[in-house]
């Protein structure tokens, strides 16, 4: 399934802000009963060196800062997995 405009914006902004080595953007909106095509609920998996030495709350704040416009508007819910490359490879 092709990404919608909000998913593309999320991907572009996280790419620019965090230079991830791995990025998944998952539109979970259909699971939340919205109208077809609604983009309101997302999950992201972000693997970035920018997270090194930061606790989970600080990592989430970096993701939220990159998506502040989207979170103030159409993005209703965002689940975040934020890992360093070492954590990602270690499982």
């Amino acid at each position: 399934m092709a990404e919608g405009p909000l998913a593309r914006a999320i991907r572009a902004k996280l790419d620019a802000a965090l230079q991830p080595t791995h990025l998944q953007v998952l539109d979970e909106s259909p699971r939340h009963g919205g109208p077809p095509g609604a983009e309101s609920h997302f999950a992201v998996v972000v693997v970035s060196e920018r997270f090194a030495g930061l606790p989970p709350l600080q990592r989430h704040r970096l993701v939220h800062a990159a998506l502040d416009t989207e979170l103030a508007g159409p993005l209703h819910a965002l689940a975040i997995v934020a890992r360093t490359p070492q954590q990602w490879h270690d499982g």
Side-chain angles (χ1 to χ4, degrees), residues 12-34:
K13 289 188 173 189
L14 292 177
D15 271 333
L18 301 171
Q19 299 86 43
T21 57
H22 178 81
L23 176 60
Q24 288 177 276
V25 178
L26 308 167
D27 184 355
E28 298 184 335
S29 303
R31 295 181 25 203
H32 295 277

Side-chain angles (χ1 to χ4, degrees), residues 3-73:
E3 287 186 336
L6 183 55
R8 288 191 302 272
I10 291 169
R11 181 176 301 283
K13 289 188 173 189
L14 292 177
D15 271 333
L18 301 171
Q19 299 86 43
T21 57
H22 178 81
L23 176 60
Q24 288 177 276
V25 178
L26 308 167
D27 184 355
E28 298 184 335
S29 303
R31 295 181 25 203
H32 295 277
E39 290 184 288
S40 58
H41 294 71
F42 283 85
V44 295
V45 178
V46 187
V47 180
S48 174
E49 284 291 345
R50 294 278 316 272
F51 298 142
L54 297 178
L57 180 58
Q58 290 302 110
R59 295 173 184 196
H60 284 224
R61 285 180 176 159
L62 286 174
V63 172
H64 277 244
L67 301 176
D68 60 344
T69 302
E70 289 72 20
L71 287 163

